[in-house]
Amino acid sequence: YVFEKAEMKQGMSVLDAGAGWGNLWRCNQEQIPERLHVTCVDKHNTHMDTFCAYIEEQKSEGEFAECEFDFCWDDLETMVLNGPYERIFFNHVVAQISDRPALYRKFSSVLSEDGVFICTWGGLLFYEKLQPLLREFFEEDEYVQLSKLYRKHKERAEELEKEIQEVFRVEKHAYEIKLHFATAEEFMEYIQQVCRPVREELELRRSEFLTFLQRFKNEQGQFTFERDTYLYRCRKAEERMEVEENVNVGYTFDGCR
């Protein structure tokens, strides 16, 4: 979905800011346009070290012959970016940035006049669906405290959206994935990872919560849960414009944990 929304063409110059494992390129290897020049940036001792080794291995086997990858290990917030880039990807990296508006302005300065900046972060669907589950499991007094979690993430999402709107002209999209868990233990572990404020509460009642989760097992003996990701397709802001929202635009798909 992210790859398709970028609408890349042959010969483009691309920046993958916070490239990490390189899933954008690994998962779309057969669709990468020819003569694409991709600059990947991330810090040392991250998954990008592995991605760099993967590209070198693939090139030795004759893959990526028509595409050029450069790797730069540096800090996006302090480094100098050399554009222009016709496409910039910034996937699930916002949580690692201390001054997002400043970095957005830096990205805008190196984005070509007709370029596209693609930014993504997690949506609210998981928390919305988790609310009734937690309400059923916890006592009312406990749930009142835990419900603050959803409000916190909602406020956070609104803040992130406002920041990016102040720098770019934005189209907002959302796409859903379905998470599959083989056991109740895996499902519980994921809830604890995503919702840290409930981690200790659930651990104290671990056995009880695992029994509670059993009722959500499907006919295949698995546990499924939905979540979404917001995708912001941005252009240089010549003037302030209203945000165009296109939520769930037909790209819903099943994903694996």
Side-chain angles (χ1 to χ4, degrees), residues 15-20 39-44 48 72-82 85 88-94 96-100 102-107 110 117:
L15 173 65
D16 190 349
T39 300
C40 298
V41 178
D42 215 325
K43 295 180 179 179
H44 266 303
M48 195 174 80
C72 177
W73 284 267
D74 209 331
D75 187 329
L76 286 165
E77 294 193 80
T78 59
M79 68 181 294
V80 175
L81 295 175
N82 298 312
Y85 297 102
I88 299 177
F89 292 98
F90 193 54
N91 290 319
H92 296 284
V93 189
V94 292
Q96 316 301 323
I97 304 301
S98 59
D99 190 345
R100 290 177 298 275
L103 185 56
Y104 291 151
R105 290 191 292 271
K106 182 187 290 190
F107 286 147
V110 295
F117 171 59

Side-chain angles (χ1 to χ4, degrees), residues 10-118:
Q10 293 183 7
M12 281 187 169
S13 180
V14 179
L15 173 65
D16 190 349
W21 194 264
N23 284 340
L24 181 67
W25 311 104
R26 292 176 187 254
C27 297
N28 298 283
Q29 191 164 331
E30 302 302 321
Q31 304 179 62
I32 299 175
E34 295 180 354
R35 302 192 309 280
L36 210 66
H37 186 171
V38 183
T39 300
C40 298
V41 178
D42 215 325
K43 295 180 179 179
H44 266 303
N45 301 316
T46 65
H47 289 302
M48 195 174 80
D49 298 78
T50 304
F51 180 44
C52 180
Y54 172 79
I55 291 295
E56 291 178 358
E57 178 183 342
Q58 289 290 296
K59 284 196 171 185
S60 69
E61 297 176 359
E63 302 294 334
F64 292 109
E66 299 297 329
C67 183
E68 181 179 352
F69 280 86
D70 291 330
F71 292 88
C72 177
W73 284 267
D74 209 331
D75 187 329
L76 286 165
E77 294 193 80
T78 59
M79 68 181 294
V80 175
L81 295 175
N82 298 312
Y85 297 102
E86 290 157 288
R87 296 292 184 271
I88 299 177
F89 292 98
F90 193 54
N91 290 319
H92 296 284
V93 189
V94 292
Q96 316 301 323
I97 304 301
S98 59
D99 190 345
R100 290 177 298 275
L103 185 56
Y104 291 151
R105 290 191 292 271
K106 182 187 290 190
F107 286 147
S108 178
S109 71
V110 295
L111 186 66
S112 66
E113 290 304 314
D114 58 349
V116 176
F117 171 59
I118 300 287

Side-chain angles (χ1 to χ4, degrees), residues 1-2 4-5 172-177 228-229 231 245-254:
Y1 184 84
V2 177
E4 290 177 359
K5 281 297 179 186
K172 178 183 177 183
H173 304 264
Y175 61 97
E176 297 179 7
I177 63 172
D228 61 353
T229 290
L231 182 149
E245 293 195 5
N246 294 300
V247 180
N248 299 329
V249 288
Y251 285 85
T252 301
F253 61 91
D254 286 349

